[in-house]
Amino acid sequence: AFESDFVTDGCGGGDVNGDSSVDVLDVVAVVGHILGTQTLAEDQICQSDMTLDGDLNVLDVVFLVNVILNPGG
């Protein structure tokens, strides 16, 4: 986990659950929302939109995982 500093217009930061870190719990929340087993609030969807395209999908999950695995790059 790491402190999120990737933020554009308040969206795409990756801290979906609001715990001030981007980690696997955020990935689980996004995947749950995509699969329909979890409902995210509008601000959580905004944080989840890592590609900043207005759509929440597997590309956002891939980007989020890459940010977690490579926090400096």
Short mmCIF file of all heavy atoms in Angstrom, two decimals:
data_model
loop_
_atom_site.label_atom_id
_atom_site.label_comp_id
_atom_site.label_asym_id
_atom_site.label_seq_id
_atom_site.Cartn_x
_atom_site.Cartn_y
_atom_site.Cartn_z
N ALA A 1 0.84 -1.19 0.00
CA ALA A 1 0.00 0.00 0.00
C ALA A 1 0.88 1.24 0.00
O ALA A 1 2.01 1.22 0.46
CB ALA A 1 -0.91 0.01 1.22
N PHE A 2 0.33 2.30 -0.52
CA PHE A 2 1.06 3.57 -0.52
C PHE A 2 0.08 4.72 -0.46
O PHE A 2 -1.09 4.55 -0.72
CB PHE A 2 1.96 3.69 -1.76
CG PHE A 2 1.19 3.89 -3.05
CD1 PHE A 2 1.01 5.15 -3.57
CD2 PHE A 2 0.64 2.82 -3.72
CE1 PHE A 2 0.31 5.34 -4.73
CE2 PHE A 2 -0.07 2.99 -4.88
CZ PHE A 2 -0.24 4.26 -5.40
N GLU A 3 0.57 5.87 -0.08
CA GLU A 3 -0.25 7.06 -0.03
C GLU A 3 -0.54 7.51 -1.45
O GLU A 3 0.36 7.63 -2.27
CB GLU A 3 0.48 8.18 0.72
CG GLU A 3 0.78 7.86 2.16
CD GLU A 3 -0.45 7.80 3.02
OE1 GLU A 3 -1.35 8.62 2.84
OE2 GLU A 3 -0.52 6.91 3.89
N SER A 4 -1.80 7.76 -1.76
CA SER A 4 -2.18 8.16 -3.12
C SER A 4 -1.84 9.62 -3.37
O SER A 4 -2.26 10.50 -2.63
CB SER A 4 -3.69 7.95 -3.32
OG SER A 4 -4.07 8.40 -4.59
N ASP A 5 -1.05 9.86 -4.41
CA ASP A 5 -0.80 11.24 -4.82
C ASP A 5 -1.15 11.44 -6.28
O ASP A 5 -0.94 12.50 -6.84
CB ASP A 5 0.65 11.65 -4.54
CG ASP A 5 1.66 10.80 -5.29
OD1 ASP A 5 1.26 9.86 -6.00
OD2 ASP A 5 2.86 11.08 -5.14
N PHE A 6 -1.72 10.40 -6.92
CA PHE A 6 -2.16 10.50 -8.30
C PHE A 6 -3.62 10.91 -8.30
O PHE A 6 -4.51 10.10 -8.10
CB PHE A 6 -2.00 9.15 -9.02
CG PHE A 6 -2.55 9.15 -10.42
CD1 PHE A 6 -1.82 9.72 -11.44
CD2 PHE A 6 -3.78 8.59 -10.69
CE1 PHE A 6 -2.32 9.74 -12.72
CE2 PHE A 6 -4.29 8.60 -11.98
CZ PHE A 6 -3.56 9.18 -12.99
N VAL A 7 -3.88 12.19 -8.45
CA VAL A 7 -5.25 12.69 -8.44
C VAL A 7 -5.40 13.73 -9.53
O VAL A 7 -4.60 14.64 -9.66
CB VAL A 7 -5.60 13.33 -7.07
CG1 VAL A 7 -7.01 13.87 -7.08
CG2 VAL A 7 -5.43 12.32 -5.94
N THR A 8 -6.44 13.57 -10.33
CA THR A 8 -6.76 14.53 -11.38
C THR A 8 -8.20 14.96 -11.20
O THR A 8 -9.11 14.14 -11.30
CB THR A 8 -6.57 13.91 -12.78
OG1 THR A 8 -5.24 13.42 -12.87
CG2 THR A 8 -6.82 14.91 -13.87
N ASP A 9 -8.43 16.23 -10.90
CA ASP A 9 -9.78 16.76 -10.67
C ASP A 9 -10.52 15.95 -9.62
O ASP A 9 -11.72 15.76 -9.70
CB ASP A 9 -10.58 16.80 -11.98
CG ASP A 9 -10.00 17.78 -12.98
OD1 ASP A 9 -9.36 18.76 -12.54
OD2 ASP A 9 -10.19 17.58 -14.18
N GLY A 10 -9.80 15.41 -8.64
CA GLY A 10 -10.42 14.65 -7.58
C GLY A 10 -10.78 13.22 -7.95
O GLY A 10 -11.26 12.48 -7.12
N CYS A 11 -10.57 12.83 -9.18
CA CYS A 11 -10.90 11.47 -9.62
C CYS A 11 -9.64 10.70 -9.97
O CYS A 11 -8.61 11.29 -10.26
CB CYS A 11 -11.82 11.51 -10.84
SG CYS A 11 -13.48 12.09 -10.47
N GLY A 12 -9.77 9.39 -9.96
CA GLY A 12 -8.68 8.54 -10.40
C GLY A 12 -7.57 8.35 -9.41
O GLY A 12 -6.50 7.87 -9.76
N GLY A 13 -7.80 8.69 -8.15
CA GLY A 13 -6.75 8.54 -7.15
C GLY A 13 -6.53 7.12 -6.70
O GLY A 13 -5.46 6.77 -6.23
N GLY A 14 -7.56 6.29 -6.82
CA GLY A 14 -7.44 4.89 -6.48
C GLY A 14 -7.80 4.53 -5.05
O GLY A 14 -7.99 3.36 -4.74
N ASP A 15 -7.92 5.52 -4.17
CA ASP A 15 -8.27 5.24 -2.77
C ASP A 15 -9.79 5.11 -2.67
O ASP A 15 -10.47 6.00 -2.18
CB ASP A 15 -7.74 6.33 -1.85
CG ASP A 15 -8.03 6.04 -0.39
OD1 ASP A 15 -8.35 4.88 -0.05
OD2 ASP A 15 -7.96 6.99 0.42
N VAL A 16 -10.30 3.99 -3.11
CA VAL A 16 -11.74 3.77 -3.23
C VAL A 16 -12.42 3.73 -1.87
O VAL A 16 -13.50 4.28 -1.69
CB VAL A 16 -12.02 2.48 -4.02
CG1 VAL A 16 -13.51 2.22 -4.15
CG2 VAL A 16 -11.35 2.53 -5.38
N ASN A 17 -11.79 3.09 -0.89
CA ASN A 17 -12.43 2.95 0.42
C ASN A 17 -12.10 4.09 1.39
O ASN A 17 -12.53 4.08 2.53
CB ASN A 17 -12.10 1.59 1.04
CG ASN A 17 -10.64 1.39 1.32
OD1 ASN A 17 -9.82 2.29 1.10
ND2 ASN A 17 -10.28 0.21 1.80
N GLY A 18 -11.33 5.07 0.95
CA GLY A 18 -11.10 6.26 1.76
C GLY A 18 -10.21 6.07 2.97
O GLY A 18 -10.30 6.85 3.92
N ASP A 19 -9.33 5.08 2.92
CA ASP A 19 -8.46 4.85 4.08
C ASP A 19 -7.07 5.48 3.93
O ASP A 19 -6.15 5.15 4.65
CB ASP A 19 -8.33 3.35 4.38
CG ASP A 19 -7.62 2.58 3.29
OD1 ASP A 19 -7.27 3.16 2.24
OD2 ASP A 19 -7.41 1.35 3.47
N SER A 20 -6.92 6.37 2.97
CA SER A 20 -5.68 7.11 2.70
C SER A 20 -4.54 6.25 2.18
O SER A 20 -3.39 6.67 2.22
CB SER A 20 -5.21 7.87 3.95
OG SER A 20 -6.17 8.82 4.34
N SER A 21 -4.85 5.06 1.69
CA SER A 21 -3.85 4.25 1.02
C SER A 21 -4.51 3.51 -0.14
O SER A 21 -5.72 3.27 -0.13
CB SER A 21 -3.17 3.27 1.97
OG SER A 21 -4.01 2.19 2.28
N VAL A 22 -3.71 3.19 -1.13
CA VAL A 22 -4.19 2.44 -2.29
C VAL A 22 -3.63 1.04 -2.16
O VAL A 22 -2.42 0.85 -2.16
CB VAL A 22 -3.73 3.10 -3.61
CG1 VAL A 22 -4.21 2.30 -4.80
CG2 VAL A 22 -4.24 4.54 -3.69
N ASP A 23 -4.53 0.07 -2.00
CA ASP A 23 -4.11 -1.30 -1.77
C ASP A 23 -5.13 -2.29 -2.32
O ASP A 23 -6.07 -1.91 -3.01
CB ASP A 23 -3.85 -1.54 -0.28
CG ASP A 23 -5.03 -1.17 0.60
OD1 ASP A 23 -6.19 -1.26 0.14
OD2 ASP A 23 -4.80 -0.79 1.76
N VAL A 24 -4.93 -3.55 -1.98
CA VAL A 24 -5.78 -4.62 -2.52
C VAL A 24 -7.25 -4.45 -2.11
O VAL A 24 -8.14 -4.88 -2.84
CB VAL A 24 -5.23 -6.01 -2.13
CG1 VAL A 24 -5.37 -6.24 -0.63
CG2 VAL A 24 -5.90 -7.11 -2.93
N LEU A 25 -7.51 -3.82 -0.99
CA LEU A 25 -8.90 -3.60 -0.58
C LEU A 25 -9.63 -2.70 -1.57
O LEU A 25 -10.83 -2.87 -1.82
CB LEU A 25 -8.95 -3.01 0.83
CG LEU A 25 -8.41 -3.90 1.94
CD1 LEU A 25 -8.43 -3.16 3.28
CD2 LEU A 25 -9.19 -5.20 2.02
N ASP A 26 -8.91 -1.75 -2.16
CA ASP A 26 -9.50 -0.90 -3.18
C ASP A 26 -9.79 -1.70 -4.45
O ASP A 26 -10.84 -1.52 -5.08
CB ASP A 26 -8.57 0.29 -3.48
CG ASP A 26 -8.33 1.14 -2.25
OD1 ASP A 26 -9.31 1.65 -1.68
OD2 ASP A 26 -7.17 1.27 -1.84
N VAL A 27 -8.88 -2.59 -4.81
CA VAL A 27 -9.09 -3.46 -5.98
C VAL A 27 -10.32 -4.33 -5.76
O VAL A 27 -11.16 -4.46 -6.66
CB VAL A 27 -7.84 -4.33 -6.26
CG1 VAL A 27 -8.12 -5.31 -7.39
CG2 VAL A 27 -6.64 -3.47 -6.57
N VAL A 28 -10.44 -4.92 -4.58
CA VAL A 28 -11.57 -5.78 -4.27
C VAL A 28 -12.89 -4.99 -4.40
O VAL A 28 -13.87 -5.50 -4.96
CB VAL A 28 -11.43 -6.39 -2.86
CG1 VAL A 28 -12.72 -7.08 -2.42
CG2 VAL A 28 -10.27 -7.36 -2.82
N ALA A 29 -12.91 -3.77 -3.94
CA ALA A 29 -14.12 -2.94 -4.03
C ALA A 29 -14.49 -2.66 -5.48
O ALA A 29 -15.66 -2.75 -5.87
CB ALA A 29 -13.91 -1.64 -3.27
N VAL A 30 -13.50 -2.33 -6.30
CA VAL A 30 -13.76 -2.02 -7.71
C VAL A 30 -14.25 -3.26 -8.45
O VAL A 30 -15.22 -3.21 -9.20
CB VAL A 30 -12.51 -1.43 -8.40
CG1 VAL A 30 -12.75 -1.25 -9.89
CG2 VAL A 30 -12.12 -0.11 -7.76
N VAL A 31 -13.58 -4.39 -8.24
CA VAL A 31 -14.00 -5.63 -8.89
C VAL A 31 -15.41 -6.01 -8.46
O VAL A 31 -16.24 -6.40 -9.29
CB VAL A 31 -13.00 -6.77 -8.60
CG1 VAL A 31 -13.54 -8.11 -9.06
CG2 VAL A 31 -11.66 -6.48 -9.26
N GLY A 32 -15.70 -5.85 -7.18
CA GLY A 32 -17.05 -6.12 -6.69
C GLY A 32 -18.10 -5.27 -7.37
O GLY A 32 -19.18 -5.75 -7.73
N HIS A 33 -17.78 -4.01 -7.57
CA HIS A 33 -18.72 -3.11 -8.25
C HIS A 33 -18.92 -3.53 -9.71
O HIS A 33 -20.05 -3.56 -10.20
CB HIS A 33 -18.22 -1.67 -8.18
CG HIS A 33 -19.15 -0.69 -8.80
ND1 HIS A 33 -20.27 -0.21 -8.14
CD2 HIS A 33 -19.16 -0.10 -10.01
CE1 HIS A 33 -20.91 0.63 -8.93
NE2 HIS A 33 -20.27 0.71 -10.08
N ILE A 34 -17.83 -3.86 -10.38
CA ILE A 34 -17.91 -4.27 -11.78
C ILE A 34 -18.74 -5.55 -11.91
O ILE A 34 -19.55 -5.69 -12.83
CB ILE A 34 -16.50 -4.44 -12.39
CG1 ILE A 34 -15.81 -3.07 -12.51
CG2 ILE A 34 -16.57 -5.14 -13.75
CD1 ILE A 34 -14.34 -3.15 -12.86
N LEU A 35 -18.56 -6.50 -10.98
CA LEU A 35 -19.29 -7.75 -11.02
C LEU A 35 -20.73 -7.63 -10.50
O LEU A 35 -21.51 -8.56 -10.63
CB LEU A 35 -18.56 -8.83 -10.21
CG LEU A 35 -17.19 -9.25 -10.75
CD1 LEU A 35 -16.54 -10.24 -9.79
CD2 LEU A 35 -17.33 -9.84 -12.14
N GLY A 36 -21.05 -6.49 -9.88
CA GLY A 36 -22.40 -6.27 -9.38
C GLY A 36 -22.66 -6.82 -8.00
O GLY A 36 -23.81 -6.90 -7.56
N THR A 37 -21.61 -7.20 -7.27
CA THR A 37 -21.77 -7.72 -5.92
C THR A 37 -21.59 -6.65 -4.85
O THR A 37 -21.83 -6.91 -3.68
CB THR A 37 -20.78 -8.88 -5.64
OG1 THR A 37 -19.45 -8.39 -5.79
CG2 THR A 37 -21.02 -10.03 -6.61
N GLN A 38 -21.15 -5.47 -5.26
CA GLN A 38 -20.93 -4.35 -4.34
C GLN A 38 -21.32 -3.07 -5.06
O GLN A 38 -21.04 -2.92 -6.24
CB GLN A 38 -19.47 -4.30 -3.92
CG GLN A 38 -19.14 -3.20 -2.94
CD GLN A 38 -17.71 -3.30 -2.40
OE1 GLN A 38 -17.02 -4.29 -2.62
NE2 GLN A 38 -17.28 -2.28 -1.70
N THR A 39 -21.95 -2.17 -4.34
CA THR A 39 -22.32 -0.88 -4.92
C THR A 39 -21.42 0.20 -4.35
O THR A 39 -21.28 0.33 -3.13
CB THR A 39 -23.80 -0.54 -4.60
OG1 THR A 39 -24.62 -1.59 -5.11
CG2 THR A 39 -24.20 0.78 -5.24
N LEU A 40 -20.79 0.95 -5.24
CA LEU A 40 -19.94 2.06 -4.82
C LEU A 40 -20.71 3.36 -4.91
O LEU A 40 -21.52 3.55 -5.82
CB LEU A 40 -18.69 2.14 -5.70
CG LEU A 40 -17.73 0.95 -5.67
CD1 LEU A 40 -16.56 1.19 -6.63
CD2 LEU A 40 -17.20 0.70 -4.27
N ALA A 41 -20.42 4.28 -4.00
CA ALA A 41 -20.99 5.62 -4.04
C ALA A 41 -20.34 6.40 -5.18
O ALA A 41 -19.29 6.01 -5.70
CB ALA A 41 -20.75 6.33 -2.71
N GLU A 42 -20.95 7.49 -5.56
CA GLU A 42 -20.46 8.29 -6.68
C GLU A 42 -19.01 8.73 -6.48
O GLU A 42 -18.21 8.69 -7.42
CB GLU A 42 -21.35 9.52 -6.88
CG GLU A 42 -21.14 10.23 -8.19
CD GLU A 42 -21.53 9.39 -9.40
OE1 GLU A 42 -22.50 8.60 -9.31
OE2 GLU A 42 -20.86 9.51 -10.44
N ASP A 43 -18.64 9.15 -5.26
CA ASP A 43 -17.26 9.58 -5.02
C ASP A 43 -16.29 8.39 -5.10
O ASP A 43 -15.14 8.54 -5.54
CB ASP A 43 -17.12 10.30 -3.68
CG ASP A 43 -17.47 9.43 -2.48
OD1 ASP A 43 -18.42 8.61 -2.59
OD2 ASP A 43 -16.82 9.57 -1.43
N GLN A 44 -16.74 7.20 -4.72
CA GLN A 44 -15.90 6.02 -4.83
C GLN A 44 -15.71 5.63 -6.30
O GLN A 44 -14.61 5.22 -6.70
CB GLN A 44 -16.51 4.85 -4.08
CG GLN A 44 -16.50 5.04 -2.57
CD GLN A 44 -17.24 3.92 -1.88
OE1 GLN A 44 -18.41 3.65 -2.15
NE2 GLN A 44 -16.55 3.25 -0.96
N ILE A 45 -16.75 5.77 -7.09
CA ILE A 45 -16.63 5.50 -8.53
C ILE A 45 -15.65 6.48 -9.15
O ILE A 45 -14.81 6.10 -9.97
CB ILE A 45 -18.02 5.58 -9.21
CG1 ILE A 45 -18.89 4.41 -8.73
CG2 ILE A 45 -17.88 5.58 -10.73
CD1 ILE A 45 -20.34 4.50 -9.16
N CYS A 46 -15.71 7.73 -8.73
CA CYS A 46 -14.78 8.75 -9.21
C CYS A 46 -13.34 8.35 -8.89
O CYS A 46 -12.46 8.40 -9.75
CB CYS A 46 -15.13 10.09 -8.58
SG CYS A 46 -14.07 11.47 -9.03
N GLN A 47 -13.08 7.92 -7.66
CA GLN A 47 -11.73 7.48 -7.27
C GLN A 47 -11.31 6.23 -8.03
O GLN A 47 -10.13 6.02 -8.27
CB GLN A 47 -11.67 7.21 -5.77
CG GLN A 47 -11.64 8.44 -4.91
CD GLN A 47 -10.39 9.26 -5.16
OE1 GLN A 47 -9.28 8.74 -5.22
NE2 GLN A 47 -10.57 10.55 -5.32
N SER A 48 -12.27 5.40 -8.41
CA SER A 48 -11.99 4.14 -9.12
C SER A 48 -11.66 4.33 -10.58
O SER A 48 -11.06 3.46 -11.20
CB SER A 48 -13.21 3.22 -9.03
OG SER A 48 -13.58 2.97 -7.71
N ASP A 49 -12.08 5.45 -11.16
CA ASP A 49 -11.91 5.68 -12.60
C ASP A 49 -10.47 6.08 -12.91
O ASP A 49 -10.16 7.23 -13.18
CB ASP A 49 -12.89 6.75 -13.08
CG ASP A 49 -12.88 6.93 -14.58
OD1 ASP A 49 -12.27 6.10 -15.29
OD2 ASP A 49 -13.49 7.91 -15.06
N MET A 50 -9.60 5.09 -12.86
CA MET A 50 -8.17 5.32 -13.03
C MET A 50 -7.80 5.79 -14.43
O MET A 50 -6.80 6.47 -14.62
CB MET A 50 -7.39 4.05 -12.69
CG MET A 50 -7.60 3.53 -11.27
SD MET A 50 -7.04 4.68 -10.00
CE MET A 50 -5.28 4.58 -10.24
N THR A 51 -8.61 5.44 -15.42
CA THR A 51 -8.34 5.86 -16.80
C THR A 51 -8.98 7.19 -17.13
O THR A 51 -8.77 7.72 -18.22
CB THR A 51 -8.84 4.79 -17.80
OG1 THR A 51 -10.24 4.60 -17.61
CG2 THR A 51 -8.08 3.48 -17.63
N LEU A 52 -9.77 7.72 -16.19
CA LEU A 52 -10.44 9.02 -16.33
C LEU A 52 -11.27 9.12 -17.61
O LEU A 52 -11.35 10.18 -18.23
CB LEU A 52 -9.40 10.16 -16.27
CG LEU A 52 -8.56 10.22 -15.00
CD1 LEU A 52 -7.48 11.29 -15.12
CD2 LEU A 52 -9.43 10.46 -13.78
N ASP A 53 -11.93 7.98 -17.96
CA ASP A 53 -12.77 7.98 -19.16
C ASP A 53 -14.26 7.99 -18.83
O ASP A 53 -15.10 7.89 -19.73
CB ASP A 53 -12.43 6.79 -20.06
CG ASP A 53 -12.70 5.45 -19.38
OD1 ASP A 53 -13.13 5.42 -18.21
OD2 ASP A 53 -12.45 4.41 -20.04
N GLY A 54 -14.59 8.09 -17.54
CA GLY A 54 -15.99 8.14 -17.15
C GLY A 54 -16.67 6.79 -17.09
O GLY A 54 -17.87 6.69 -16.85
N ASP A 55 -15.90 5.72 -17.32
CA ASP A 55 -16.44 4.37 -17.31
C ASP A 55 -15.61 3.52 -16.36
O ASP A 55 -14.39 3.62 -16.35
CB ASP A 55 -16.37 3.79 -18.73
CG ASP A 55 -17.17 2.51 -18.88
OD1 ASP A 55 -18.09 2.28 -18.08
OD2 ASP A 55 -16.87 1.74 -19.82
N LEU A 56 -16.26 2.70 -15.57
CA LEU A 56 -15.55 1.85 -14.62
C LEU A 56 -15.55 0.42 -15.17
O LEU A 56 -16.59 -0.21 -15.31
CB LEU A 56 -16.24 1.89 -13.26
CG LEU A 56 -15.51 1.28 -12.08
CD1 LEU A 56 -14.13 1.88 -11.91
CD2 LEU A 56 -16.31 1.47 -10.81
N ASN A 57 -14.35 -0.07 -15.52
CA ASN A 57 -14.25 -1.40 -16.12
C ASN A 57 -12.90 -2.03 -15.78
O ASN A 57 -12.13 -1.51 -14.97
CB ASN A 57 -14.47 -1.32 -17.64
CG ASN A 57 -13.52 -0.36 -18.30
OD1 ASN A 57 -12.33 -0.30 -17.97
ND2 ASN A 57 -14.03 0.42 -19.26
N VAL A 58 -12.62 -3.15 -16.44
CA VAL A 58 -11.41 -3.91 -16.14
C VAL A 58 -10.13 -3.11 -16.40
O VAL A 58 -9.11 -3.35 -15.75
CB VAL A 58 -11.40 -5.25 -16.91
CG1 VAL A 58 -11.24 -5.03 -18.40
CG2 VAL A 58 -10.35 -6.20 -16.38
N LEU A 59 -10.17 -2.16 -17.31
CA LEU A 59 -8.98 -1.33 -17.55
C LEU A 59 -8.62 -0.52 -16.31
O LEU A 59 -7.43 -0.32 -16.01
CB LEU A 59 -9.20 -0.40 -18.74
CG LEU A 59 -9.35 -1.08 -20.10
CD1 LEU A 59 -9.63 -0.03 -21.18
CD2 LEU A 59 -8.11 -1.87 -20.43
N ASP A 60 -9.62 -0.08 -15.58
CA ASP A 60 -9.36 0.65 -14.34
C ASP A 60 -8.74 -0.28 -13.30
O ASP A 60 -7.85 0.14 -12.54
CB ASP A 60 -10.66 1.27 -13.81
CG ASP A 60 -11.23 2.28 -14.78
OD1 ASP A 60 -10.56 3.28 -15.05
OD2 ASP A 60 -12.34 2.05 -15.29
N VAL A 61 -9.18 -1.54 -13.26
CA VAL A 61 -8.60 -2.52 -12.33
C VAL A 61 -7.14 -2.76 -12.68
O VAL A 61 -6.28 -2.76 -11.80
CB VAL A 61 -9.40 -3.84 -12.36
CG1 VAL A 61 -8.70 -4.90 -11.51
CG2 VAL A 61 -10.83 -3.63 -11.89
N VAL A 62 -6.85 -2.96 -13.96
CA VAL A 62 -5.47 -3.19 -14.39
C VAL A 62 -4.59 -2.01 -14.02
O VAL A 62 -3.49 -2.17 -13.49
CB VAL A 62 -5.42 -3.47 -15.92
CG1 VAL A 62 -3.98 -3.46 -16.43
CG2 VAL A 62 -6.10 -4.78 -16.24
N PHE A 63 -5.07 -0.79 -14.28
CA PHE A 63 -4.30 0.42 -13.95
C PHE A 63 -4.08 0.51 -12.45
O PHE A 63 -2.97 0.81 -11.99
CB PHE A 63 -5.05 1.64 -14.47
CG PHE A 63 -4.22 2.89 -14.51
CD1 PHE A 63 -3.78 3.39 -15.71
CD2 PHE A 63 -3.89 3.58 -13.35
CE1 PHE A 63 -3.02 4.55 -15.75
CE2 PHE A 63 -3.14 4.74 -13.38
CZ PHE A 63 -2.70 5.23 -14.59
N LEU A 64 -5.13 0.22 -11.67
CA LEU A 64 -5.03 0.29 -10.21
C LEU A 64 -4.01 -0.72 -9.69
O LEU A 64 -3.17 -0.38 -8.84
CB LEU A 64 -6.40 0.05 -9.59
CG LEU A 64 -6.52 0.09 -8.07
CD1 LEU A 64 -6.03 1.43 -7.52
CD2 LEU A 64 -7.96 -0.15 -7.66
N VAL A 65 -4.04 -1.93 -10.20
CA VAL A 65 -3.07 -2.95 -9.79
C VAL A 65 -1.65 -2.51 -10.15
O VAL A 65 -0.72 -2.66 -9.35
CB VAL A 65 -3.41 -4.33 -10.40
CG1 VAL A 65 -2.26 -5.31 -10.20
CG2 VAL A 65 -4.70 -4.86 -9.82
N ASN A 66 -1.49 -1.94 -11.33
CA ASN A 66 -0.15 -1.46 -11.73
C ASN A 66 0.34 -0.35 -10.81
O ASN A 66 1.54 -0.30 -10.50
CB ASN A 66 -0.16 -0.99 -13.18
CG ASN A 66 -0.09 -2.13 -14.16
OD1 ASN A 66 0.45 -3.19 -13.85
ND2 ASN A 66 -0.66 -1.94 -15.34
N VAL A 67 -0.54 0.52 -10.39
CA VAL A 67 -0.16 1.60 -9.47
C VAL A 67 0.29 1.01 -8.13
O VAL A 67 1.26 1.46 -7.53
CB VAL A 67 -1.32 2.60 -9.27
CG1 VAL A 67 -1.05 3.54 -8.11
CG2 VAL A 67 -1.54 3.40 -10.56
N ILE A 68 -0.41 -0.03 -7.67
CA ILE A 68 -0.04 -0.66 -6.41
C ILE A 68 1.31 -1.36 -6.52
O ILE A 68 2.16 -1.26 -5.63
CB ILE A 68 -1.13 -1.65 -5.96
CG1 ILE A 68 -2.42 -0.88 -5.60
CG2 ILE A 68 -0.67 -2.49 -4.79
CD1 ILE A 68 -3.63 -1.76 -5.43
N LEU A 69 1.52 -2.07 -7.62
CA LEU A 69 2.76 -2.83 -7.80
C LEU A 69 3.96 -1.95 -8.12
O LEU A 69 5.10 -2.34 -7.82
CB LEU A 69 2.58 -3.88 -8.89
CG LEU A 69 1.58 -5.00 -8.59
CD1 LEU A 69 1.46 -5.92 -9.80
CD2 LEU A 69 1.99 -5.78 -7.36
N ASN A 70 3.71 -0.80 -8.73
CA ASN A 70 4.78 0.12 -9.13
C ASN A 70 4.48 1.53 -8.66
O ASN A 70 4.24 2.42 -9.47
CB ASN A 70 4.93 0.11 -10.67
CG ASN A 70 5.21 -1.27 -11.20
OD1 ASN A 70 6.21 -1.88 -10.88
ND2 ASN A 70 4.28 -1.77 -12.01
N PRO A 71 4.47 1.78 -7.35
CA PRO A 71 4.05 3.08 -6.83
C PRO A 71 4.89 4.27 -7.29
O PRO A 71 4.39 5.38 -7.33
CB PRO A 71 4.13 2.91 -5.31
CG PRO A 71 5.05 1.76 -5.10
CD PRO A 71 4.90 0.87 -6.30
N GLY A 72 6.11 4.05 -7.66
CA GLY A 72 6.95 5.16 -8.11
C GLY A 72 6.98 5.33 -9.61
O GLY A 72 7.55 6.29 -10.13
N GLY A 73 6.38 4.43 -10.34
CA GLY A 73 6.52 4.46 -11.79
C GLY A 73 5.24 4.44 -12.46
O GLY A 73 4.82 4.71 -13.44
#
